[in-house]
Amino acid sequence: MHRSRVRRAIATGAAAGTLLLASLGAAPPPTPTPSGDHDPLTRFHTQRVRWGDCPDKPVPAEMRCAVVEVPLDYAAPGKGTVQVALGRIPATDPDRRIGSLLINFGGPGASGMAGLAADPKSFADLGERYDLIGFDPRGVGHSDPVSCAGSREPEIDPNADTAAVLAAMREAVEQCRRSSGPVLAHIGTVDAARDMDVIRRVLGDKKLNYLGFSYGSRLGAVYAAQYPRTTGRMVLDGIDTLTEPLTEQALVSARAQQRALDNFLTWCAHQTDCVYGTNTRTAREKVAALVERLDEEPLVGRDGTDLNGFAASLAIGQALYSPSVWPVLAKSLALAETKKDPAGLLALLGLGEPTDPTDPTDPTEPTEPATPTDPPESPDTARGDRFGPVPADNAAAALAAVSCADDPDRSIEKATPAALEKEFTELGEEFLKVSEVFGPRQLVTVLACYGWPAGTDFIRKIDHPGAPPMLLVGTRGDPATPYEWTEETAERLGSAVIVDHKGDGHTGFAGSPCVREYIDEFLLYGRLPSGTRSCPAGE
């Protein structure tokens, strides 16, 4: 990759903000918890929860919300606390109730309360016998949210030299330090998993039953590694890596995204109005040419928003998460190619002026929250009225903070600008070979935590923790969590059954009745097949 293109990729990626917005302190490995009367966590385990109105609307009528207090620092539980927000939809068949089912919708940085409120119907079968629990992990949403100065992103000239880019990135990290509270130094999956055990205890469950999507698979695996004896029925869908070094993660991710793009282009070739025609090989070349052309000369939306190649690859990657969005992507690419109009691709990123009507979203109907019927709050009850505002940049800030806390490789502050340029130039050709569309963007993720200490190595060391058998779902055409990570994680956990979903899109639960049947059978009845099982595409 030419050095000027390397510099432009570094600068553009840094200015995009979502990869480089937050900082963290390295998450320590879990420490043994004393037992008996001197257990410093007793006061957290014995708190009572007051369920009340949820902070955001709309929510399902039966959904109630609360906060649970957890230690800021598990190594020093008296040092301070974090408020973890959770929402609950009670089991609709209470006579057959199993217990609670914690659900994590991914991220890191996604609100579990918002995820549960947005799509409760998808979990209706599970919700007959489980109380459905969506929670905001620490630093996310209403759980002491982190911020990086209210969505401010570093102002970086795409033609700036690498030293200037790195200086701007360091300043952006300092803004995160100044804008976030003490939780920033104690954020990460190791601590979030420990919070889940506090939630389990205060909800009165002997074991943790759990359904985790995408990043939620990492969170579930870390819980199982820390608490194998209290791991209950656990399903992980869209399996994140636990093992690969950062550069290898980026390469595998670029390869998975290109595979998903190729699947989309094959689909597009069978449509009558595909802008790239019926030849999938030349279609692949044309998409790559579009991205490179936009790097040289961005398109400008009607409201003045620029669409460069980096942003276009983000938009394409976003649309590949679900085949239901492929028609929108096809129309958006056609607009960019034939009319030089970036509106469709900008809309996929939530930018620019609203466009018409091909948006596939299905908003939740507004509903009124139920009237609380719990008894008045007592002194040892976690209060349900502590929901503060969520910063506009919280999702991006939490994404970076948690990702950095979880990865021991992301510490390259000592590297000089010249050394970084040399490394990127050498890696560039390899990443371009994997994907001309996604390779440069994935290469930039190597800088995601520039200047900060390496994260914990606890996750990297997970190896046959002794947890009970669990169910892992991997989707062959997944652009975000490649299928090979499913096999790797199953090997590391040592007690997993794989469902091999042959379809497209990110995760299998929402789009495959076959996958959903395996998940429901296990979570509701404890029925787990032996060996790897297969779910065909479209079934």
Side-chain angles (χ1 to χ4, degrees):
M1 185 185 292
H2 192 274
R3 180 157 294 188
S4 63
R5 190 174 179 189
V6 168
R7 286 184 173 179
R8 186 167 62 244
I10 294 172
T12 306
T18 57
L19 301 174
L20 305 157
L21 280 174
S23 67
L24 68 155
T31 54
T33 300
S35 58
D37 296 336
H38 300 292
D39 183 353
L41 299 181
T42 296
R43 72 183 183 94
F44 298 101
H45 294 162
T46 57
Q47 66 186 298
R48 288 183 291 160
V49 185
R50 178 177 179 247
W51 298 99
D53 288 352
C54 294
D56 302 317
K57 303 295 184 293
V59 298
E62 64 276 16
M63 182 169 167
R64 311 277 288 289
C65 295
V67 294
V68 169
E69 284 194 348
V70 298
L72 173 67
D73 182 354
Y74 279 92
K79 186 177 178 179
T81 62
V82 173
Q83 302 285 338
V84 174
L86 50 155
R88 177 183 69 175
I89 297 179
T92 57
D93 188 353
D95 292 339
R96 300 171 63 231
R97 179 181 177 274
I98 297 171
S100 306
L101 178 68
L102 269 66
I103 306 174
N104 181 280
F105 293 87
S111 165
M113 290 203 304
L116 182 60
D119 192 20
K121 292 180 181 178
S122 291
F123 306 96
D125 290 342
L126 295 172
E128 289 182 4
R129 301 187 62 195
Y130 282 107
D131 293 343
L132 302 177
I133 307 292
F135 63 101
D136 292 354
R138 59 170 59 205
V140 175
H142 291 284
S143 297
D144 284 6
V146 295
S147 174
C148 291
S151 234
R152 288 169 57 187
E153 298 176 356
E155 295 288 337
I156 298 176
D157 181 352
N159 298 311
D161 64 37
T162 302
V165 171
L166 298 180
M169 290 162 59
R170 285 193 294 270
E171 174 55 28
V173 168
E174 285 304 312
Q175 290 197 29
C176 298
R177 284 186 180 276
R178 294 190 291 265
S179 301
S180 296
V183 70
L184 191 63
H186 300 280
I187 199 170
T189 302
V190 170
D191 279 326
R194 301 201 75 178
D195 295 344
M196 290 204 304
D197 199 60
V198 174
I199 294 171
R200 174 190 69 80
R201 288 174 178 262
V202 300
L203 294 177
D205 292 307
K206 292 183 178 180
K207 294 193 174 184
L208 181 85
N209 299 311
Y210 178 79
L211 174 57
F213 299 100
S214 192
Y215 160 76
S217 69
R218 188 198 313 168
L219 184 56
V222 171
Y223 180 91
Q226 294 183 86
Y227 303 100
R229 293 183 179 179
T230 55
T231 298
R233 299 173 186 175
M234 181 172 285
V235 175
L236 311 178
D237 183 1
I239 311 302
D240 202 356
T241 181
L242 303 177
T243 62
E244 290 180 341
L246 180 58
T247 300
E248 185 60 28
Q249 287 182 41
L251 274 170
V252 172
S253 295
R255 189 176 294 115
Q257 288 180 304
Q258 185 62 53
R259 185 163 55 233
L261 176 60
D262 291 344
N263 291 347
F264 159 77
L265 292 173
T266 298
W267 168 87
C268 190
H270 289 84
Q271 312 306 305
T272 57
D273 56 352
C274 182
V275 70
Y276 297 122
T278 59
N279 187 319
T280 55
R281 182 184 61 79
T282 58
R284 180 176 182 171
E285 294 170 354
K286 288 176 181 177
V287 174
L290 172 66
V291 170
E292 186 171 1
R293 189 164 66 246
L294 291 174
D295 266 335
E296 299 292 339
E297 188 176 349
L299 294 178
V300 181
R302 290 184 289 273
D303 65 347
T305 303
D306 283 350
L307 180 81
N308 58 24
F310 192 93
S313 69
L314 285 172
I316 295 167
Q318 184 73 22
L320 294 175
Y321 268 55
S322 172
S324 67
V325 189
W326 287 5
V328 180
L329 176 59
K331 179 171 285 190
S332 300
L333 289 169
L335 278 174
E337 292 280 16
T338 62
K339 299 184 180 300
K340 312 301 180 188
D341 184 351
L345 292 172
L346 288 171
L348 287 169
L349 295 173
L351 301 173
E353 295 179 348
T355 56
D356 115 295
T358 51
D359 187 350
T361 54
D362 180 20
T364 304
E365 291 296 322
T367 53
E368 292 298 321
T371 302
T373 57
D374 294 291
E377 182 181 5
S378 64
D380 61 344
T381 302
R383 291 173 57 88
D385 58 355
R386 294 182 181 175
F387 303 110
V390 179
D393 69 330
N394 172 247
L399 168 64
V402 174
S403 297
C404 296
D406 286 358
D407 198 315
D409 297 324
R410 301 189 179 206
S411 181
I412 53 176
E413 183 181 14
K414 294 180 180 178
T416 65
L420 282 175
E421 279 192 32
K422 183 175 184 294
E423 179 185 3
F424 269 56
T425 302
E426 292 172 351
L427 288 173
E429 293 305 322
E430 186 176 2
F431 274 75
L432 279 174
K433 185 176 180 180
V434 167
S435 174
E436 293 185 66
V437 174
F438 302 110
R441 177 164 67 88
Q442 287 296 338
L443 176 57
V444 172
T445 65
V446 176
L447 285 177
C449 301
Y450 175 79
W452 290 98
T456 179
D457 62 356
F458 176 80
I459 300 172
R460 186 70 58 81
K461 292 179 178 179
I462 292 174
D463 186 21
H464 293 70
M470 61 189 74
L471 186 67
L472 274 58
V473 179
T475 297
R476 292 284 177 166
D478 195 319
T481 50
Y483 183 81
E484 46 263 58
W485 288 352
T486 303
E487 295 179 320
E488 291 173 5
T489 299
E491 175 62 27
R492 293 296 298 275
L493 293 174
S495 57
V497 171
I498 294 176
V499 172
D500 179 356
H501 177 219
K502 306 294 187 182
D504 292 297
H506 184 38
T507 74
F509 180 83
S512 170
C514 173
V515 168
R516 189 173 303 194
E517 183 176 356
Y518 277 115
I519 291 175
D520 287 353
E521 283 288 305
F522 178 47
L523 289 176
L524 291 173
Y525 308 108
R527 298 170 186 158
L528 191 63
S530 59
T532 297
R533 296 304 171 99
S534 179
C535 280
E539 293 183 18

